[in-house]
Amino acid sequence: MNLSLLRAHVFWISVSIVVLLLAAMGDSARELFRYQSDLFSTGEYWRIITSHFVHLSLNHTLFNVAGTAIFSFLFARQLSCMGWWLVLAFLVPISSMLIYTFNPDLGWYVGFSGVLHGLLITGGILELRKADGNDMRMAIFILIVIAAKLLQEQFLGGVESTTEEIIGGKVFPDAHLYGALAGVVSGIFCYWWKGRAKEEI
């Protein structure tokens, strides 16, 4: 086994373990951990965190595990595993609070895809730095594709039916938007932080 390759993707591996274990727990875990505004309002605050790690179905879980693998191969080298978990610790509650604020009528929500958009945008912004191994053109392309996808979801819609058939439920595009907005904030901060750290060396 290539240990250096394993270390490079330990964030993806650790996230995948969490979501797969929760998927193995079935419907009881999904009901206990999903975002549900009425229960959140009565004190079940863990749901702002856990809702992003449970899914509608096994296909939904594997869909997001695969998406996180793509993120990992593109951008994982930009931060350590701990660094990416800290980014995730920002993206998750911010995304949930934006849902709570701007979608008060939403009954419940599960899934990692919203924060995955945030991870991809954070990684893309970091990839824009002038550093060895960075590919600015690839980063710009990825960021444009994500922006176009978000615009399509918000203003056009109508192409989510295939995804909904795969995952076994409705897509919630606003979660992607909120995760992406949080990702812009975390990406700019990490870009500044890495530049600051380089200047101090």
Side-chain angles (χ1 to χ4, degrees), residues 31-52 92-109:
E31 292 179 8
L32 178 62
F33 296 130
R34 70 188 184 183
Y35 171 90
Q36 195 164 334
S37 59
D38 57 337
L39 296 178
F40 167 69
S41 300
T42 59
E44 297 187 6
Y45 300 122
W46 67 82
R47 293 175 183 271
I48 69 171
I49 305 297
T50 58
S51 56
H52 299 275
V92 164
I94 294 299
S95 297
S96 291
M97 292 310 298
L98 287 171
I99 293 173
Y100 183 75
T101 301
F102 295 107
N103 301 89
D105 296 328
L106 180 69
W108 57 273
Y109 168 81

Side-chain angles (χ1 to χ4, degrees), residues 95 98 114 117 121 150-151 153-154 172-183:
S95 297
L98 287 171
H117 280 69
I121 287 180
L150 292 170
L151 289 170
E153 289 178 339
Q154 289 297 313
F172 179 49
D174 286 355
H176 302 165
L177 176 64
Y178 301 149
L181 292 173

Side-chain angles (χ1 to χ4, degrees), residues 37-198:
S37 59
D38 57 337
L39 296 178
F40 167 69
S41 300
T42 59
E44 297 187 6
Y45 300 122
W46 67 82
R47 293 175 183 271
I48 69 171
I49 305 297
T50 58
S51 56
H52 299 275
F53 297 93
V54 290
H55 291 82
L56 291 167
S57 62
L58 180 59
N59 281 346
H60 191 200
T61 303
L62 296 177
F63 205 69
N64 280 327
V65 167
T68 310
I70 293 170
F71 152 78
S72 187
F73 279 94
L74 289 173
F75 302 127
R77 69 186 183 283
Q78 293 293 341
L79 295 173
S80 66
C81 177
M82 180 60 70
W84 282 118
W85 272 105
L86 289 172
V87 169
L88 197 58
F90 171 78
L91 296 175
V92 164
I94 294 299
S95 297
S96 291
M97 292 310 298
L98 287 171
I99 293 173
Y100 183 75
T101 301
F102 295 107
N103 301 89
D105 296 328
L106 180 69
W108 57 273
Y109 168 81
V110 295
F112 197 75
S113 59
V115 292
L116 176 56
H117 280 69
L119 289 171
L120 284 165
I121 287 180
T122 301
I125 291 173
L126 286 171
E127 191 80 13
L128 294 174
R129 296 177 62 249
K130 292 181 179 179
D132 291 341
N134 280 7
D135 186 340
M136 294 180 65
R137 286 181 295 181
M138 181 271 289
I140 291 170
F141 175 75
I142 295 293
L143 291 171
I144 289 174
V145 168
I146 294 173
K149 175 180 179 293
L150 292 170
L151 289 170
Q152 178 274 318
E153 289 178 339
Q154 289 297 313
F155 298 108
L156 298 177
V159 300
E160 292 90 3
S161 57
T162 301
T163 302
E164 290 174 354
E165 288 179 11
I166 294 172
I167 68 175
K170 291 190 68 64
V171 173
F172 179 49
D174 286 355
H176 302 165
L177 176 64
Y178 301 149
L181 292 173
V184 171
V185 175
S186 63
I188 291 171
F189 175 81
C190 290
Y191 187 105
W192 169 80
W193 184 264
K194 291 194 76 170
R196 178 176 175 272
K198 184 177 181 180

